[in-house]
Amino acid sequence: MILDAVILAGGEGRRMGGRDKGLVELSGKPLVEWSLEALSRQTRPVDHILISANRNLPDYARFGSPVLRDVYPGHPGPLAGIHSALLASPAEYLLVLPCDVPFLPADLVGRLLECIEQSEAQVVVARTPDGQIHPTICMLRHDVLPSLMDRLSRQELKLSAWQESLKLQYVDFPDLAFPNLNTQDDLAVCAARLSGVDTIPMPYRPTDQNQADTPSGLTHFNANGEAHMVDVGSKVDSHRIARAVGEIRMLPTTLHLIETGSHKKGDVLGVARIAGIMASKRTADLIPLCHPIPLTSVSVDFTIDRAGSLVRCEVTAETVGRTGVEMEALTALNVALLTIYDMCKAVDRGMIMSQIRLLEKQGGKSGHWQASHTI
């Protein structure tokens, strides 16, 4: 019995800003290499590994596995990658994996294979106990190829819908067994964890008896699990500062209009700066459990990055009070970026806002916190 595997890396990477996801690096190593190493550590090895890719084929070929392109044009999605693999592989069973899941249980292959061999299922799909189904982590019989070709010919491209039309079974794996890295933020969090950095925010850790009595230590829930506004009456006033940063990527021609002030709507960054400051003062109206606080200072600064064709925004918010000012900084940041989008959408609807995050906060009982990773 022959068992082959295909790593799906042929997508357009839309949530990664159009980057070729399989070649995006996690801790200095391309995601496709993480997948290959995860397969090499399986208790039940596969016989051959194929890579489905539609761009940068020489870069994928250097990993030593055959690289396949979609037969069908236009990036139809994972069904097209599976189709190419079934055409190339004579194996009785084919394991399918996405390139953005770098960590796999060591018994993944063995458990999927055991299920499909001992049942009449045509496809077995990984599932976590919370009911989350992972259609792109599956094993299927080679004889599903005609059904797959029929779906592709009818432009019915949803993977899970095709699987449900077959004899299907699920195999349950522990929670968090398959952390998908769909965005740059997902990638950053995963990289921080790999480097040993604790990225769980302070409110998630019980620091006193009252917090320990709440579900998971979440301060915005009471002991009954009901949402409530945190009582800050017993806290003392302190000088609090928060810095947040984010960016909006755009076409070079759009960036040129902003930089030269030649946009027909006027000073894009000037309007976005005012919008961000105004938004910071309305945070409590937008975020249900935020306290209204007296802001003493809000600055919204922009940096133009011609090489990256983007505008980077940094917001610093300050107050003297009993609760933090992080949400005000983040609200100002998001509205400033949204204002840039609104003013430029007529010439560039494909702008991408990303890397939005808190950089630093000071003041209060928890003291000084600073992000320990950069993107």
Side-chain angles (χ1 to χ4, degrees):
M1 187 272 295
I2 301 175
L3 169 64
D4 288 350
V6 60
I7 299 172
L8 300 177
E12 296 179 279
R14 293 176 182 174
R15 286 184 283 182
M16 282 283 187
R19 299 172 67 189
D20 194 338
K21 188 184 290 187
L23 299 177
V24 171
E25 291 191 350
L26 169 63
S27 298
K29 190 161 55 181
L31 285 176
V32 69
E33 188 173 351
W34 283 94
S35 298
L36 289 165
E37 290 184 0
L39 279 175
S40 71
R41 291 191 291 267
Q42 291 294 302
T43 54
R44 198 307 185 181
V46 299
D47 294 290
H48 308 98
I49 301 174
L50 311 172
I51 298 175
S52 167
N54 290 304
R55 295 179 284 171
N56 305 306
L57 271 63
D59 292 321
Y60 282 106
R62 67 184 178 88
F63 295 104
S65 293
V67 182
L68 311 174
R69 297 189 67 169
D70 293 348
V71 174
Y72 291 82
H75 296 280
L79 287 186
I82 296 172
H83 169 256
S84 295
L86 286 173
L87 290 179
S89 169
E92 183 179 354
Y93 301 112
L94 179 71
L95 172 71
V96 178
L97 296 173
C99 66
D100 59 1
V101 180
F103 312 113
L104 300 173
D107 61 349
L108 173 77
V109 174
R111 292 189 60 194
L112 293 178
L113 181 61
E114 181 182 19
C115 180
I116 202 168
E117 282 187 317
Q118 296 182 1
S119 69
E120 296 182 356
Q122 295 173 291
V123 58
V124 293
V125 178
R127 180 176 63 184
T128 49
D130 60 359
Q132 185 178 1
I133 296 168
H134 298 266
T136 53
I137 302 176
C138 66
M139 187 176 293
L140 45 85
R141 296 180 185 270
H142 195 278
D143 60 14
V144 300
L145 180 58
S147 169
L148 177 57
M149 294 176 67
D150 178 63
R151 286 270 167 166
L152 285 165
S153 67
R154 290 188 280 121
Q155 290 292 298
E156 296 177 5
L157 304 177
K158 189 174 181 180
L159 175 59
S160 59
W162 172 61
Q163 291 172 337
E164 289 166 4
S165 73
L166 303 170
K167 294 179 180 177
L168 168 65
Q169 286 199 23
Y170 297 106
V171 178
D172 289 326
F173 290 89
D175 285 316
L176 304 180
F178 312 111
N180 292 83
L181 306 184
N182 289 315
T183 66
Q184 290 284 1
D185 288 340
D186 294 339
L187 204 67
V189 170
C190 187
R193 288 174 178 168
L194 285 171
S195 65
V197 176
D198 185 0
T199 59
I200 302 175
M202 288 300 296
Y204 286 81
R205 298 193 200 100
T207 56
D208 57 35
Q209 186 58 44
N210 290 332
Q211 287 189 13
D213 288 341
T214 64
S216 302
L218 294 172
T219 60
H220 283 105
F221 293 89
N222 62 21
N224 296 321
E226 300 163 339
H228 73 133
M229 181 179 280
V230 176
D231 183 0
V232 297
S234 61
K235 294 185 177 182
V236 297
D237 288 343
S238 69
H239 183 205
R240 299 170 184 266
I241 304 173
R243 289 195 304 125
V245 69
E247 63 189 38
I248 181 167
R249 193 177 301 272
M250 61 195 69
L251 295 172
T253 51
T254 308
L255 187 66
H256 180 73
L257 290 175
I258 293 174
E259 187 174 13
T260 60
S262 54
H263 194 288
K264 65 180 181 179
K265 288 188 177 182
D267 182 3
V268 173
L269 299 186
V271 174
R273 180 176 290 107
I274 296 300
I277 293 171
M278 292 177 63
S280 68
K281 296 185 287 186
R282 300 296 300 272
T283 300
D285 295 330
L286 300 171
I287 310 298
L289 302 180
C290 272
H291 295 79
I293 62 173
L295 291 165
T296 57
S297 173
V298 178
S299 65
V300 180
D301 299 309
F302 298 102
T303 304
I304 290 177
D305 182 346
R306 297 188 192 95
S309 192
L310 59 86
V311 175
R312 186 171 289 105
C313 178
E314 182 173 324
V315 174
T316 302
E318 299 186 41
T319 187
V320 176
R322 301 180 179 184
T323 189
V325 73
E326 298 95 320
M327 293 308 301
E328 284 70 20
L330 287 164
T331 299
L333 171 65
N334 278 276
V335 170
L337 295 177
L338 284 168
T339 301
I340 294 174
Y341 185 94
D342 179 58
M343 294 190 71
C344 299
K345 65 180 184 294
V347 296
D348 188 357
R349 287 185 171 83
M351 290 177 284
I352 300 171
M353 290 168 283
S354 63
Q355 317 296 3
I356 295 168
R357 61 202 186 278
L358 184 71
L359 285 181
E360 182 181 16
K361 60 89 59 183
Q362 299 181 44
K365 184 178 179 180
S366 60
H368 188 196
W369 176 91
Q370 193 166 10
S372 50
H373 65 280
T374 58
I375 302 176

